[in-house]
Amino acid sequence: MVKAKRTLEAVETHSGEPMRVVTGGLPDIPGDSVYEKTKWLAKHDDQIRKLMLREPRGYAPLCCNLIVPSKKAAAGFIVMEQTEYPMMSGGNVISVATALLETGKIPMQEPVTKFDLESPAGLIGITAECHDGKVTQVTFKNVPAFAVYLDEEIDVPHLGKVKVDVAWGGMFYVIADIRQFQKRGMDIELKPEYGRQIAKVLALVLGAAQEQLPVSHPDYPGVGITIAELSGPTDNPNADWKNEVLVANGKIDFDDPATWTGSLDRCPCGTGTCAKMAALYAKGELKLNEPFRHENALGIVYTGKLTGTAKIGDHVAVIPTVGGESWITGFSKWILDESDPFTNGYTMGDIWSSEVMEDDANTDVKH
């Protein structure tokens, strides 16, 4: 009989991006809100995040969500990524809602089920289209999104001057149009085979934006720009815009090419879609209630819409909705064997960034 220090049960899903939904085995996490629970977990029990996301149970592009009780909604969820606990994640919302409905943890009503989920950023309204026990589309009402910088020129080491937008869509995104690089003769396209080039460009842009473009959110102090998005036109008649998003795995060092990388989002990115819509609205290029179909490099499409306006601090914000689909790929039970010396999982330099590896080196692992 295996003696386990921890046992966690999960639903494995993907929306392009692999997204694990942990539904059982979690300890009681203190806090009156999911935001408070997230802050407590990050400070007192970060082992769960590392255990689920790093090898041998995880890998670099994987996201993970912990289902926790909510006093305000049908359920709460804590989003976990390789270097942070995001306030919101649209792709993860779609996967969480799908997992909870298709496993019966939230009762499914056909043809439409409506309920709220509580994210660290606040309440997220869910409208799920359901047929024969399957969730065929999840549309979520996100927290207000707003633009901070439009067509701002920054100096990016190794790339030169780059024009970017910065917007909040549940996380702060720096967004660059791919055409400015193509006009310089760079061989780069929003296709899977250009993944290394996309990651390099976005890592450098992200690092420069973090240094040169200060941001703040009145409700989430200390949250800065953590995501970069490369945007461009699409020739897909069923989409309006194309994008690819980089989730950095560590700090970008302009003198160290090994850090000019990260994990590309395998889904069209829900919060990135909200940030893009906020920037387009601020430029007068997207109207309220106008459908916005956002495609990623794999050809997966999320459909967004801006349903109204709001005020966040000094910013004029918009209320976005985003719809997409997720699929269950399996069910898992994960354990931490009492004799396993890698209590936080591990990383290797072939696919992991140096900062993540340094973080692992500072943990108490007995060999």
Side-chain angles (χ1 to χ4, degrees), residues 218-353:
D219 298 327
Y220 314 114
V223 176
I225 301 172
T226 57
I227 306 288
E229 180 176 330
L230 196 59
S231 243
T234 177
D235 56 7
N236 181 355
N238 297 314
D240 303 302
W241 207 265
K242 198 168 186 178
N243 87 104
E244 194 52 59
V245 165
L246 178 81
V247 180
N249 288 339
K251 184 176 176 58
I252 290 92
D253 182 345
F254 297 121
D255 296 322
D256 182 4
T259 69
W260 306 348
T261 187
S263 299
L264 295 181
D265 197 337
R266 272 72 170 155
C267 77
C269 192
T271 51
T273 297
C274 294
K276 181 67 179 179
M277 289 194 295
L280 290 173
Y281 176 82
K283 294 179 179 184
E285 297 176 13
L286 184 67
K287 300 175 182 178
L288 294 181
N289 297 307
E290 180 181 349
F292 177 72
R293 301 166 301 174
H294 212 196
E295 177 191 22
N296 79 333
L298 290 174
I300 300 171
V301 177
Y302 284 174
T303 300
K305 185 184 293 185
L306 302 176
T307 62
T309 59
K311 192 81 170 173
I312 299 294
D314 296 328
H315 299 286
V316 175
V318 285
I319 309 299
T321 66
V322 175
E325 191 173 3
S326 180
W327 301 271
I328 291 177
T329 59
F331 300 89
S332 58
K333 179 178 286 188
W334 301 98
I335 70 164
L336 174 59
D337 190 297
E338 284 189 345
S339 63
D340 190 339
F342 296 96
T343 55
N344 292 315
Y346 54 80
T347 57
M348 291 286 284
D350 55 343
I351 61 173
W352 298 92
S353 76

Side-chain angles (χ1 to χ4, degrees), residues 62 66 97 106 137 176 207 269 280 337 349 365:
L62 178 66
L66 309 181
I106 290 179
Q137 179 88 348
C269 192
L280 290 173
D337 190 297
V365 178

Side-chain angles (χ1 to χ4, degrees), residues 11 96-108 133 135 328 331:
V11 183
V96 165
T98 299
L100 293 176
L101 285 169
E102 292 193 8
T103 60
K105 295 186 181 299
I106 290 179
M108 180 185 291
V135 178
I328 291 177
F331 300 89

Side-chain angles (χ1 to χ4, degrees), residues 205-226:
V205 169
L206 176 61
Q210 289 172 332
E211 290 185 355
Q212 298 171 41
L213 300 177
V215 295
S216 64
H217 194 295
D219 298 327
Y220 314 114
V223 176
I225 301 172
T226 57

Side-chain angles (χ1 to χ4, degrees), residues 19-52:
M19 299 166 182
R20 180 169 292 159
V21 181
V22 178
T23 56
L26 292 171
D28 180 46
I29 302 173
D32 290 331
S33 66
V34 173
Y35 177 73
E36 290 180 2
K37 290 177 184 290
T38 301
K39 291 299 182 183
W40 186 94
L41 193 72
K43 184 176 181 179
H44 298 286
D45 197 2
D46 194 40
Q47 183 196 54
I48 296 176
R49 182 181 65 86
K50 294 176 180 177
L51 200 68
M52 288 288 95

